[in-house]
């Protein structure tokens, strides 16, 4: 075979290798996005003088004297109703950040509804923040599928999450769960999907406070 006839073959092989590398790179990026899809909240980070302790179970807690106030969390729910978390002052509030697209959120949804039904008559209110759903339709379908009866603020762009101050127990992942004490201060946080047992464990100390 002449050098002239071999040249197109080498060119074709080079082009094929380049395409394979591009495909592998694209696949790696896609995998990275899938891995991070339920962990990146786009919120203000931690740091600073946090005054909280994170246990081996992944639950971070703050003593009563060091707790930060929950920011203004108000707006419309996924059902179009108005909600202001400040209206629940005097109750313990469990705040869960979720998205219908998030597998860990689906895994924990029934656990939250079960615990909510058990404790709602004890001065406890559950509230969700639905984020990154581009319309309320998927969020409403999620609530129907998993029997979620408590309200969720609709926050597609994550603006409510950005209101949490840096250095406080802010929601840095999806899902995130906060427990807010009766005075409207953040008492506990976790950045993971919760089993029914872990959710009860997280809530119990704050519920027991006088």
């Amino acid at each position: 075979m002449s050098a002239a006839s071999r040249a197109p073959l080498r060119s074709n092989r080079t082009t094929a290798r380049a395409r394979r590398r591009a495909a592998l790179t694209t696949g790696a990026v896609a995998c990275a996005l899938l891995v991070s899809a339920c962990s990146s909240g786009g919120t203000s980070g931690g740091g600073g003088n946090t005054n909280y302790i994170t246990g081996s179970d992944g639950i971070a807690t703050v003593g009563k004297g060091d707790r930060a106030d929950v920011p203004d969390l108000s707006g419309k729910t996924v059902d179009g109703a108005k909600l202001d978390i400040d209206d629940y002052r005097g109750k313990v509030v469990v705040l869960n950040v979720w998205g219908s697209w998030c597998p860990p959120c689906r895994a924990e949804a029934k656990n939250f509804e079960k615990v909510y039904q058990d404790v709602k008559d004890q001065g406890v209110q559950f509230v969700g923040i639905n984020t990154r759903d581009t319309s309320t339709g998927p969020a409403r379908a999620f609530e129907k599928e998993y029997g979620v009866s408590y309200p969720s603020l609709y926050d597609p762009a994550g603006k409510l999450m950005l209101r949490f101050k840096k250095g406080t127990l802010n929601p840095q992942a999806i899902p995130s769960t906060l427990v807010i004490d009766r005075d409207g201060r953040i008492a506990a946080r976790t950045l993971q999907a919760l089993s029914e047992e872990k959710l009860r464990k997280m809530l119990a100390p704050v519920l027991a406070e006088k």
Side-chain angles (χ1 to χ4, degrees):
M1 183 179 294
S2 67
S5 63
R6 288 197 301 270
L9 291 176
R10 285 197 298 269
S11 177
N12 290 341
R13 284 197 296 268
T14 301
T15 301
R17 283 196 296 269
R19 286 175 179 169
R20 283 196 296 270
R21 284 196 296 268
L24 288 170
T25 300
T26 302
V29 170
C31 287
L33 289 173
L34 284 171
V35 169
S36 64
C38 287
S39 62
S40 176
T43 67
S44 55
N49 186 19
T50 57
N51 292 319
Y52 60 78
I53 299 171
T54 303
S56 59
D57 54 6
I59 298 173
T61 57
V62 184
K64 291 185 72 171
D66 293 319
R67 293 173 184 170
D69 292 333
V70 70
D72 170 35
L73 298 176
S74 60
K76 288 190 175 181
T77 68
V78 297
D79 295 319
K82 291 183 179 180
L83 188 152
D84 187 338
I85 202 168
D86 197 52
D87 290 341
Y88 299 121
R89 188 70 62 95
K91 291 187 174 184
V92 174
V93 176
V94 175
L95 183 69
N96 177 246
V97 180
W98 63 279
S100 68
W101 45 267
C102 168
C105 302
R106 293 195 290 270
E108 70 177 4
K110 288 187 177 181
N111 300 329
F112 275 70
E113 180 62 24
K114 175 64 166 61
V115 176
Y116 174 58
Q117 291 300 327
D118 288 348
V119 300
K120 65 180 183 179
D121 294 331
Q122 301 176 38
V124 180
Q125 176 64 48
F126 279 38
V127 176
I129 296 180
N130 171 260
T131 191
R132 295 193 185 178
D133 276 313
T134 55
S135 70
T136 57
R140 292 196 302 270
F142 178 101
E143 291 183 335
K144 182 178 180 180
E145 179 178 358
Y146 294 101
V148 177
S149 62
Y150 52 86
S152 285
L153 287 161
Y154 181 53
D155 185 32
K159 292 180 179 180
L160 294 178
M161 297 168 69
L162 288 170
R163 294 180 182 178
F164 287 82
K165 292 181 180 179
K166 185 175 182 179
T168 66
L169 289 179
N170 49 33
Q172 297 177 16
I174 304 167
S176 288
T177 300
L178 307 180
V179 178
I180 301 164
D181 68 20
R182 294 179 180 87
D183 296 317
R185 299 174 302 172
I186 305 167
R189 177 196 68 183
T190 191
L191 306 176
Q192 60 184 323
L194 290 174
S195 65
E196 182 182 333
E197 180 184 5
K198 274 195 174 183
L199 178 55
R200 292 182 189 278
K201 179 181 178 181
M202 185 178 179
L203 174 62
V206 185
L207 187 56
E209 290 176 354
K210 302 300 183 182

